[in-house]
Structure formats: structure tokens, C-alpha cells
Amino acid sequence: MPDILHRVGIKSSPNEAYKALTAIDGLADWWTNDTHGQSKVGEVIRFRFGDNGGFDMKVLELDPGKRVLWQVVDGPAEWIGTKISFDLRREDDFTVVLFKHQGWAEPVEFMHHCSTKWATFLMSLKSLIETGKGAPYPDDVIVDRQWR
Amino acid sequence: MPDILHRVGIKSSPNEAYKALTAIDGLADWWTNDTHGQSKVGEVIRFRFGDNGGFDMKVLELDPGKRVLWQVVDGPAEWIGTKISFDLRREDDFTVVLFKHQGWAEPVEFMHHCSTKWATFLMSLKSLIETGKGAPYPDDVIVDRQWR
């Protein structure tokens, strides 16, 4: 099955990156400002993007400073059941973030879009941590017309 | 085998996008300013990124306004033999660009990096066409420390 894979290097500690990937207000500052729920294993985080809908993520794993794993429990049909992971590793004064969005049934056109859009959101995460300012929805980078 | 897939929507005609993907000075304005060679089927285009090396692409297909297909004939070991395609489609006053970089043997960490970096270069292509200014090397978006 095809996967979406990305990698960014962030000038920060793994703990700082982990916080932005797990605190609700951290997630709100790089992905979507409409983020609610509980970032605890077994609980659900709700990410909303206005008229574009959103995603409900069940938190499957939280390993402080090292790894975050979610499973999509509600959202676009193509996303339901897929898994999203962030693995963190320190390299000197940088943190390498390896991102995977796995479990897509088919490499549909929407998956191509989501791959590009994930890259822009990971750059938003990097910017948030390095400069204090991310580009979360509704101030996100627009990559196309149809799916924003 | 894992693929890198992306999609951007550009406010332009397919012919304008095709030109930026085939003219040597078009490629130089969004990917790397050190682009040389011949953009003809059977010929090779050389893309260089200073100390970071570069890629030699053999042009396999050119379908004006519709499709570009290259094969990597020199560059990083993981890239050699892989294929890169751009498929263009008009939607009203937009052009949808479907991008695929296929033939990776393994989903290595470098592939994660290249996926993110391709997204930033496709956004550079979009910006070039929509605003007249792209972000080609050496003014490219830096996504990490190790591989730029």
C-alpha cells in the first residue's frame, strides 16, 4: 500500500518538537486553530478546517520526546483507518522528524494532494518551533483550488 | 515499491505550466538556477545544486501541455533508474499538476526528505507561474540540516 512519507529537521530539542505534536495548543499553532480533544492514549483529538471538514484522531501511542501515533477514526473516507506517526530523533542541536501517513488503500488523486499539504504543514511545524509562528488553518499555505 | 506523489493546482494554462517544466530557463526558475542540457526526448538535462551534487535526467516523454517524463541516469544511488513524471490537466482557469517520483527500491530516510523537498519545489513552480518568482536553488526552501 502507498504511504505518504516526509522528513524535516527542526532546530530544537526533541522535547520541544514533541510538545508541539501533543499539546492541544501546540497542534493548534501549526495544523489548525480549531483543534480540540484530549491528547492521551485512547482519547480522540478533533481537527477541524471550517467548510473543508476535518479529522478525528485516536491517540494510539505517546512516547515522550520520541514518538506520536494516531489513527484516523473519522474524516474523509480515504483517511479512515489510516495511521499517522511522527518519530523524533536528536542530531546535535536539531530534531529530525520522520513523518508517515500509512494505510492508504489506493494512490488516489486526493492522496497526492494530502502528501503536498502535509509537507506544507510540517514546514509550518518547523516554522512554529524555530520562529514562534506557524501557518495553521485558516492561515495555511494553499496548494490547489479544489482541496485548498 | 514506494512512490513520492504530489499535486498542486496552478492558476495558469497547461501550456504555461508545460513551458516551465520543459524550457531550460523555466526549469532554472523553480528548481535550480544551474540547469543545463537539452529538453528533447532522448537527450539529458543536468540539474546541479552546488556542493549538494545534482541529477542528470534523460527525457523519455514530452507531450505538449499534457505530460513530461524523465528518468534519472546519474545522481545519488537511490535516484538512479527512478522516473519522474508531471501530468497536466486543465480545470477551468487552473492547471492540475500530478507529480510522481517512482521506482524507489526502499522507503529510506533520504526518500522521506526528497518527498518534502519535492513539495517545496512544486510550490516554487506554482509561485513562479502565479507571481513571476519561484524559489530555485540556491534560494530554495531549506527543510532540514543534513540534506538541505
Side-chain angles (χ1 to χ4, degrees):
Chain A
M1 286 193 295
D3 301 329
I4 295 173
L5 307 174
H6 287 297
R7 179 187 191 274
V8 292
I10 302 176
K11 191 162 187 177
S12 76
S13 66
N15 284 341
E16 198 178 355
Y18 181 80
K19 189 177 164 193
L21 293 169
T22 52
I24 296 298
D25 59 354
L27 292 162
D29 283 344
W30 67 267
W31 199 16
T32 168
N33 70 2
D34 189 358
T35 297
H36 297 279
Q38 283 200 290
S39 185
K40 293 180 181 171
V41 171
E43 300 292 335
V44 171
I45 312 176
R46 300 181 306 280
F47 300 94
R48 294 293 179 272
F49 299 80
D51 293 341
N52 304 288
F55 315 106
D56 285 2
M57 303 286 189
K58 186 171 181 179
V59 180
L60 296 191
E61 291 180 38
L62 290 177
D63 189 350
K66 290 189 180 166
R67 179 172 164 85
V68 173
L69 176 65
W70 300 327
Q71 184 162 34
V72 181
V73 292
D74 203 1
E78 298 93 335
W79 278 53
I80 293 176
T82 61
K83 291 182 181 176
I84 291 157
S85 61
F86 304 84
D87 285 284
L88 311 178
R89 180 178 83 235
R90 182 192 292 272
E91 284 194 1
D92 301 326
D93 54 346
F94 273 73
T95 294
V96 173
V97 180
L98 280 184
F99 169 89
K100 299 180 201 290
H101 185 172
Q102 299 182 294
W104 290 80
E106 299 288 338
V108 292
E109 193 161 325
F110 183 48
M111 182 183 168
H112 294 62
H113 162 80
C114 294
S115 175
T116 312
K117 194 76 185 184
W118 269 126
T120 67
F121 280 122
L122 290 164
M123 294 304 289
S124 167
L125 168 69
K126 176 176 167 68
S127 175
L128 171 66
I129 294 173
E130 293 181 348
T131 74
K133 188 164 170 52
Y137 174 89
D139 300 316
D140 51 327
V141 173
I142 306 299
V143 306
D144 62 32
R145 187 188 52 160
Q146 182 183 355
W147 290 310
R148 192 183 173 87
Chain B
M1 285 192 295
D3 301 329
I4 295 172
L5 307 174
H6 286 298
R7 179 186 192 275
V8 292
I10 302 177
K11 191 160 187 178
S12 77
S13 66
N15 285 341
E16 197 177 355
Y18 180 80
K19 190 177 164 195
L21 293 168
T22 53
I24 297 297
D25 59 354
L27 292 162
D29 283 345
W30 67 266
W31 198 16
T32 168
N33 69 2
D34 190 357
T35 298
H36 298 279
Q38 283 201 291
S39 185
K40 293 179 181 172
V41 172
E43 300 293 335
V44 170
I45 312 175
R46 301 182 305 280
F47 301 94
R48 293 293 178 273
F49 300 81
D51 293 341
N52 303 288
F55 315 106
D56 285 2
M57 304 285 188
K58 185 171 182 180
V59 181
L60 296 190
E61 291 181 38
L62 291 177
D63 189 349
K66 290 190 180 166
R67 179 171 164 85
V68 173
L69 175 66
W70 299 326
Q71 185 162 33
V72 182
V73 292
D74 203 0
E78 299 92 334
W79 278 53
I80 294 175
T82 61
K83 292 183 181 176
I84 291 159
S85 61
F86 303 84
D87 285 284
L88 312 177
R89 180 178 83 235
R90 182 191 293 273
E91 284 195 0
D92 301 328
D93 54 347
F94 273 73
T95 294
V96 173
V97 181
L98 278 184
F99 170 90
K100 299 180 203 287
H101 184 172
Q102 298 182 293
W104 291 79
E106 298 289 339
V108 291
E109 193 161 325
F110 183 48
M111 181 183 170
H112 293 64
H113 162 80
C114 294
S115 174
T116 311
K117 194 76 186 183
W118 269 126
T120 67
F121 280 122
L122 290 165
M123 294 304 289
S124 167
L125 169 69
K126 175 177 167 70
S127 174
L128 171 66
I129 295 173
E130 293 182 347
T131 74
K133 188 165 171 51
Y137 174 89
D139 300 317
D140 51 327
V141 174
I142 306 299
V143 307
D144 63 32
R145 186 188 52 158
Q146 183 185 354
W147 290 309
R148 193 186 173 87

